[in-house]
Amino acid sequence: GGTIRKMELEQSLKQYSEQLEEMVKERTRELEEAQDKLVRSERLAAVGELASGVGHELRNPLNVIKSCIYLLNMTLADKADEETISTLKLLDQQVDISNKIVTDLLTFTRVRPPSLGQVDFHNLIRESLSWVRVPEGIEVVTNFDGQSPKVLVDAEQIGRALANIVSNALQAMDGKGVLRVNTGIDEGYAWVKFEDTGCGIPEENLDKIFEPLFTTKPKGIGLGLAITKRLVEQNNGVIEVTSQVGKGTTFAVKLPLCKEEAN
Ligand SMILES: Nc1ncnc2c1ncn2[C@@H]1O[C@H](COP(=O)(O)OP(=O)(O)OP(=O)(O)O)[C@@H](O)[C@H]1O
Ligand SMILES: [Mg+2]
């Protein structure tokens, strides 16, 4: 009896240690995730504080420069030569770009709570597409499924989020390609997919692209998708990405349908 008893004990000990190992693994994974989240949120907070300070300080001088350019244009009127005019134009454009950066930084740090309302889904997508200038070599193909549903979101915030996705897609295609925009409905959700034929995203970057300040562009600041993700999530939506380097990238956004539609 002693040998059998010993074998039984060994057996259950082995089982127990395997179980323990599994539990430790599970806990480690949870800890790692929690730490990841913490690092990200601390980084967000730090970026936020710095950004709102700097952004705010830059607003006024930028506005003064903008007014000065306007004044110069007025006083010079038709007296100026072509080079002066084009230099002023360049100056004005650069001020606009700087203003956009400041606005991005400020929106990022002060995202107001969404004011949810019934929004026509297809119109919302069309509108956000119209905010972005499409280069000549790029074709935008929309394929909206059936009748437009109503979604329960903040139209301005989601419009902005979608426009960010579109502008990234256009930038990834570098002047040539196709952007397909499809929509559909799934249990309680309306979804829209933006599928580009751009450069794609390497696998190791896929979970970094939503972090603030992650960019691979020489002139990017890396706030577009961080803002987008935050806006989508605080509107009870979900954003997902799939990509293949050299082939293209698809961003999907799911948004809650209005109650009447979901039934
Ligand atoms: N459609 C896409 N195709 C390929 N890469 C993409 C796409 N969308 C995003 N990315 C990658 O994700 C990074 C982060 O995007 P994000 O919009 O946050 O910042 P950005 O476009 O670089 O700068 P900005 O702050 O001006 O938006 C990009 O630099 C790019 O590497
Ligand atoms: Mg961007």
Side-chain angles (χ1 to χ4, degrees):
T3 339
I4 293 183
R5 179 92 188 102
K6 201 177 153 210
M7 270 168 71
E8 271 174 12
L9 266 176
E10 267 172 10
Q11 188 68 25
S12 61
L13 203 64
K14 199 173 154 223
Q15 254 176 23
Y16 184 66
S17 92
E18 271 168 10
Q19 235 175 339
L20 203 64
E21 211 172 303
E22 204 38 56
M23 271 163 68
V24 170
K25 259 191 210 154
E26 175 83 8
R27 286 282 174 283
T28 313
R29 209 172 318 130
E30 279 171 17
L31 265 176
E32 274 170 5
E33 263 165 35
Q35 196 200 12
D36 244 31
K37 238 188 210 158
L38 194 68
V39 169
R40 225 171 301 153
S41 69
E42 264 171 18
R43 203 166 152 201
L44 272 177
V47 170
E49 231 165 275
L50 183 73
S52 64
V54 174
H56 203 75
E57 293 298 313
L58 278 177
R59 269 243 157 121
N60 290 332
L62 280 173
N63 283 335
V64 174
I65 296 173
K66 183 104 184 151
S67 308
C68 289
I69 298 170
Y70 180 78
L71 265 177
L72 270 177
N73 263 323
M74 287 320 242
T75 30
L76 288 173
D78 26 50
K79 279 171 270 170
D81 57 305
E82 239 167 71
E83 203 186 330
T84 312
I85 300 278
S86 71
T87 309
L88 277 174
K89 201 167 165 200
L90 185 67
L91 201 55
D92 197 49
Q93 281 168 356
Q94 295 300 310
V95 173
D96 286 343
I97 292 175
S98 311
N99 264 323
K100 184 194 167 286
I101 295 175
V102 168
T103 309
D104 275 359
L105 284 174
L106 290 178
T107 355
F108 181 68
T109 52
R110 300 193 199 135
V111 175
R112 58 173 170 78
S115 83
L116 302 178
Q118 283 199 20
V119 181
D120 182 292
F121 190 48
H122 295 176
N123 273 348
L124 180 64
I125 300 167
R126 267 188 220 107
E127 203 168 301
S128 58
L129 280 170
S130 75
W131 292 347
V132 184
R133 206 190 60 82
V134 181
E136 245 170 64
I138 292 178
E139 200 189 343
V140 178
V141 181
T142 54
N143 184 8
F144 293 163
D145 180 42
Q147 226 193 342
S148 178
K150 295 266 190 300
V151 285
L152 188 66
V153 297
D154 184 312
E156 197 189 314
Q157 292 189 346
I158 294 301
R160 194 182 149 78
L162 300 183
N164 278 348
I165 295 174
V166 173
S167 88
N168 276 342
L170 297 177
Q171 286 166 8
M173 290 190 279
D174 198 21
K176 203 168 164 289
V178 183
L179 174 64
R180 274 175 225 286
V181 187
N182 299 316
T183 66
I185 293 181
D186 243 346
E187 344 165 345
Y189 277 107
W191 55 261
V192 54
K193 282 183 186 158
F194 299 91
E195 188 183 345
D196 68 54
T197 57
C199 56
I201 304 170
E203 176 134 29
E204 68 267 23
N205 287 349
L206 275 182
D207 51 353
K208 296 192 194 129
I209 57 173
F210 295 107
E211 280 177 15
L213 304 186
F214 177 83
T215 182
T216 57
K217 300 170 190 170
K219 284 186 184 157
I221 35 174
L223 280 179
L225 283 180
I227 294 176
T228 300
K229 187 174 162 74
R230 189 193 274 192
L231 290 175
V232 168
E233 285 178 355
Q234 75 171 17
N235 278 267
N236 309 310
V238 177
I239 180 168
E240 282 161 4
V241 59
T242 52
S243 188
Q244 247 185 309
V245 173
K247 286 240 168 94
T249 304
T250 302
F251 278 91
V253 175
K254 293 183 197 166
L255 297 167
L257 288 168
C258 284
K259 277 258 159 56
E260 309 87 81
E261 310 248 347
N263 296 329

